[in-house]
Structures are given as C-alpha cells and as structure tokens.
Amino acid sequence: MSLILPGEHVPAQHVNLKLGPGLLQLSSANERSTIISTRAGEVRNTGSRKWWIEGNSRRYVPAPQESVVGAVISRSGENWRVDIGSAHMASLDGLAFEGATKRNRPNLKVGSLLYARVSLAHKDMEPELECFDAQTRKAEGFGELKGGFLVTCSLKMCRLLLDSEHFLFPLLGSRFPLETAVGLNGRVWVNCKDPKQTIAVARCIEAVDPDGGGMEESAVKKFLNTLDV
Amino acid sequence: MPRPPSPSIPEKEFVYGALKQSLRLDGRAMLEMRTPTLTFGPELGWVECALGKTRVLAQVDGKMVKPPPEWPLEGLISIHSELSSMASNEFEPGRASDQEVTITRMLDKVLRRSDAVDKESLCVLAGQRVWHIRLTIHVLADAGNMLDCACLAGIVALKHFRRPEVEVVGDEVTIHHPSERAPVALALHHTPFCLTFAFFPDADAGTPPLLDPTHLEETLAAGLLSVALNAQRELCVVQKAGGVPLAPADVLAIVDVAVAKARELDKVVERALKEDWKGRNVEVR
C-alpha cells in the first residue's frame, strides 16, 4: 500500500515502460527523465512494464480511447458541443457516426444523451469525441442513447462496474432484464422496462459506490428484497 | 465555470414518467421528507443541519450596540446568508442568482419578520444598549431544498444560542461572563418551520405535489410552494414561485400536510436539543 500524492516521483524503470492513468513523464534538460504522479492514490504495477495510479475522484479528466456518456449542449456549425463532465466541453463532429454522410446525418437534439469514445484529449485543448469504434469504424454500441435514465457515480465506481468480475450487474440482471452504458466519466445510463426497476438500479449503484458507503453483495441482496422488484 | 446544462431529455422523461406513478428517485413517498440530522458544535448557537446530502450550517452571535433612534426599545436581528461555490458549482460568488435571492428573502420572512424572536426582551437599557443578534447561514452542500434546511438550521441555532447574562443597576450595565453566571436563552415566541412542495406539469392529470424535492426534482419542477408555519397551526409565510395554477382546495390540502410535518419536526428538534443539552456542562457553582 504505497500511497502517493500528486507531484511525487515514482520509481518506474523499464525499457518498454507503459504509463497508465495518473502518471506523467517529465523530461528535464539533462537526459534523465523522471516519472511523476498527477493524481493521489496507490501506485500499482503489473510486472515492471505497466504502471498506474489507482485512486478515486469525482471529476473526470479525459484520456484517449475512453468511453464516456455525454449530454448534447449546443450545436456549433457542423459540430456538436457535448458535456462530459470535464473542465472543457467536448466537441463531436456531426459526421462521426457509422454510415453518416453529408446528406444522411443522425438527428440529435439539445439534451440528448450519447455514448461516445474520446478520440483526442490534451491538457489544454477541448476533447474530441467519436461515435464509432476506432478499429472497425462501426457503431459497436456508441451513438445516441434513447430513453432510460442517467445515474452519476464516482470514477472508481464506473471502473468497478466495467470490471466483469464485479457482482452488481450480474446480480441485478438475474432479477430483471436491463440495459446499461457505463461511461468512464462517472455517468451510467440505465434502461429497464419498469421505472421501479430503473430506480432500484440507481439506488443500488449509489449504495455500492465507495463514496456512498460501499455496500457488499449480501447487503445489496437484502436491500433489493425490500424494494418491489 | 459556465452554468451547468439543464437535465438531459432521458432524465426529464424518466422523472416525469416515474412521478406519474408516484415513484421518486430515492425511493421516498411523495409526501415524505428526508430525516433531518442536527449536529451541534462546541459553541452555543452553532448547528449543522443535514437533509440527506443537503447540509447547511447556522451560527448565532450576539453583541451589545446602541439602538437606532426610531426603535429605542427593541433589539436588532440580522440574518446573513450567502451561497458560495462550496454549495454547488452553479453558484458564483458575488453574483446573486434568482435562487439565492429567494432563499435570502424567505429566511428573512420566516425568521425575522415572523417575530420568532422577542425583540423587546433584547433591550437592556432603553435607548442606549440593546442586543444585536446576528445569524449567519452557510450552505455547505446543495442536494435540493436548501431553503427548508437553512430555515431549520437557523431556527434551531436561535433556540440553541445562549447570550451572556446582563445586570443593569441604574445606568450601569454589567455583562457577566458565561463562567460567572449561566448564559440565558433567547426568548422565542414560536418556532417556525419551512416546508417546500414541488409541482409538476399537468398537476390535475395525476402528478401530485411532492415534499422536499431533490436537486433534479427542483430543476424539473414547474412550480414551488413554500409554506412556513409552526406546530401550533399558525401560518407564517406562504410563498408560491412558478406558474402552475393551483386550486384553493389543493393549497389547503398542502397546508394540512405541512401542519402534520411541522409537528413531527418540532418533536425532532426538541429531542435533539434536549440530548445536546444533557451532554453540555454549563453549570456554574
């Protein structure tokens, strides 16, 4: 358990070093370059190649190739401005959808929710989004999210929800069918047939969130039994 | 930070649809209020009130001043409240949003103009010395319904506060330190509580009003009705903001609900104050 604060030096050394979230490489005037952390949390590494910082926060910092849930705010020319919870609004090209041409564009409205992938993210620029998979150029689940409801949670919770070993979604899915899109920016879109089920999912996500108590599986089962689903 | 955008279309449609079936997002009943949690500080007159995730801090301070010549026999009460960016990233310091103005005005009406505190008892020496009671409200977190939380924190702080004992001999005023003589409570005429109800579009088509809205419910509401009253069924303030037309029968039904809630709140407040008092040692030998 090595707790680290932003700005501290991390002893990561390898020929093919891969830096994950929260680490930055600083090259100084003499050839030595140091690795420093940009977030508070625990330093983790697999082998000595991949290093990253594991911590929790609520404010999203965009990074490329991450899937996020965004809400359309306005239209500026051909682009859409989308709020993904970061410091800057993201921009989404009107043609960045599968099979979109100048004549055949998806019809988005202000206030619609989208599941998109961050294609470009630099510290001081507006992030850019795309609604198709990078390799296959097909939708693969990205695009407009219709109906359903949006739940906000901490960033660690979204990463837990995306983990296939986590208990929550299989547990809920065994009780009723549900559709979700988990954004790494702290937003989860949920869609069920019955509003009661959607509300149950929202409350379970808030209860299991490490920020809101971190309920465990048996307690969640008891909680679900008290709700009417 | 630019103003956060209004709720997305799926959120709006879901909330309206769920409310038609009387389902709220946090599982409460339509007319159920979040249980208030009162935390008292080390000083007398320092209270933090939490309604779910909405937290408001109230602090009461008293000092002796010369009264204005128009009202030489009454004390002064001033309420200072400011919504800083700590409450939510929607508030900017220096610029008072509509919501902030409404809260300041309602606090003034509920706590000051309703004559909750007996101002004549604050007079020490007519025309020369009166108590100036200052109530400061800080909103720590906004998860909906800051107004009710702030009013509750304010009135509990006023009930919790003790001013130093004062002795007047002729024209001489002696203020006794709390360690010499036990400090004295403020004389309160009554204890007003504020309750806010939110209304949604097509109220008569089946979406009933709900009590104690959360942030999302507040943003999506078509109108808000705030009723301030005390446990003795006396109405202090009725404020309606927003364009949903209401039949008189609806308003009366709301007031009935508010009366029952005010009684419950009164019991909660009394219990909390008693428990806190037991833990304090303000005895003077």
Side-chain angles (χ1 to χ4, degrees), chain B residues 109-129:
Chain B
K109 281 191 253 186
V110 173
L111 296 175
R112 206 170 62 89
R113 301 234 298 256
S114 69
D115 269 345
V117 180
D118 180 13
K119 290 204 263 213
E120 288 189 359
S121 69
L122 296 175
C123 178
V124 175
L125 195 56
Q128 306 279 340
R129 282 258 169 279

Side-chain angles (χ1 to χ4, degrees), chain A residues 59 71 73 83 89 109-113 145 147-150 189 194-196 198-199 203 206, chain B residues 1-2 5 7-11 13-15 17-18 21 23-28 53 89 216:
Chain A
R59 179 58 101 171
I73 305 228
D83 166 44
M89 298 288 154
K109 287 199 280 269
V110 172
S112 359
L113 283 181
L145 299 166
F149 184 61
L150 188 69
W189 175 83
D194 191 6
K196 269 192 233 171
T198 318
I199 293 179
R203 290 180 76 189
E206 274 171 37
Chain B
M1 172 85 207
S8 56
I9 296 176
E11 285 177 287
E13 289 177 358
F14 181 75
V15 171
Q21 301 183 23
L23 292 170
R24 287 177 81 170
L25 293 172
D26 45 3
R28 282 187 279 157
K53 291 197 185 151
N89 56 2
L216 186 59

Side-chain angles (χ1 to χ4, degrees), chain A residues 108-160:
Chain A
L108 293 175
K109 287 199 280 269
V110 172
S112 359
L113 283 181
L114 300 166
Y115 196 51
R117 182 177 50 85
V118 178
S119 59
L120 188 71
H122 289 297
K123 204 159 54 108
D124 305 305
M125 275 166 57
E126 265 186 14
E128 282 179 28
L129 304 175
E130 280 175 353
C131 272
F132 50 75
D133 188 78
Q135 267 106 32
T136 67
R137 315 265 324 169
K138 290 209 186 270
E140 308 281 348
F142 293 117
E144 189 181 348
L145 299 166
K146 295 200 168 103
F149 184 61
L150 188 69
V151 184
T152 38
C153 58
S154 65
L155 300 188
K156 184 149 192 172
M157 185 62 191
C158 335
R159 281 176 265 159
L160 285 175

Side-chain angles (χ1 to χ4, degrees), chain B residues 122-143:
Chain B
L122 296 175
C123 178
V124 175
L125 195 56
Q128 306 279 340
R129 282 258 169 279
V130 297
W131 280 106
H132 175 190
I133 302 292
R134 223 174 21 178
L135 170 65
T136 315
I137 304 263
H138 298 281
V139 179
L140 301 175
D142 174 23

Side-chain angles (χ1 to χ4, degrees), chain A residues 21-224:
Chain A
L23 288 173
L24 190 67
Q25 179 182 36
L26 275 189
S27 43
S28 44
N30 46 6
E31 292 186 15
R32 286 288 184 109
S33 60
T34 53
I35 315 286
I36 59 167
S37 72
T38 57
R39 294 209 196 141
E42 215 184 298
V43 184
R44 296 261 182 91
N45 60 313
T46 55
S48 56
R49 264 199 73 211
K50 300 185 188 176
W51 292 72
W52 71 96
I53 306 272
E54 184 91 35
N56 198 3
S57 62
R58 296 193 74 98
R59 179 58 101 171
Y60 176 60
V61 174
Q65 313 314 325
E66 291 192 343
S67 321
V68 292
V69 172
V72 176
I73 305 228
S74 65
R75 185 181 193 165
S76 57
E78 281 201 7
N79 302 337
W80 297 97
R81 293 182 69 82
V82 180
D83 166 44
I84 55 175
S86 60
H88 303 284
M89 298 288 154
S91 83
L92 170 68
D93 194 326
L95 293 172
F97 292 83
E98 180 191 353
T101 60
K102 282 219 173 111
R103 295 194 181 199
N104 176 20
R105 265 182 232 258
N107 186 15
L108 293 175
K109 287 199 280 269
V110 172
S112 359
L113 283 181
L114 300 166
Y115 196 51
R117 182 177 50 85
V118 178
S119 59
L120 188 71
H122 289 297
K123 204 159 54 108
D124 305 305
M125 275 166 57
E126 265 186 14
E128 282 179 28
L129 304 175
E130 280 175 353
C131 272
F132 50 75
D133 188 78
Q135 267 106 32
T136 67
R137 315 265 324 169
K138 290 209 186 270
E140 308 281 348
F142 293 117
E144 189 181 348
L145 299 166
K146 295 200 168 103
F149 184 61
L150 188 69
V151 184
T152 38
C153 58
S154 65
L155 300 188
K156 184 149 192 172
M157 185 62 191
C158 335
R159 281 176 265 159
L160 285 175
L161 286 175
L162 282 172
D163 185 5
S164 47
E165 315 262 324
H166 192 70
F167 69 88
L168 188 60
F169 280 149
L171 174 62
L172 292 168
S174 67
R175 283 183 176 243
F176 47 81
L178 73 145
E179 212 188 327
T180 66
V182 180
L184 279 156
N185 53 341
R187 299 181 187 182
V188 181
W189 175 83
V190 179
N191 191 14
C192 307
K193 279 217 180 63
D194 191 6
K196 269 192 233 171
Q197 297 167 346
T198 318
I199 293 179
V201 177
R203 290 180 76 189
C204 285
I205 293 181
E206 274 171 37
V208 178
D209 194 330
D211 272 356
M215 231 190 218
E216 314 222 312
E217 186 164 359
S218 47
V220 176
K221 283 197 189 134
K222 270 194 227 139
F223 179 55
L224 279 174

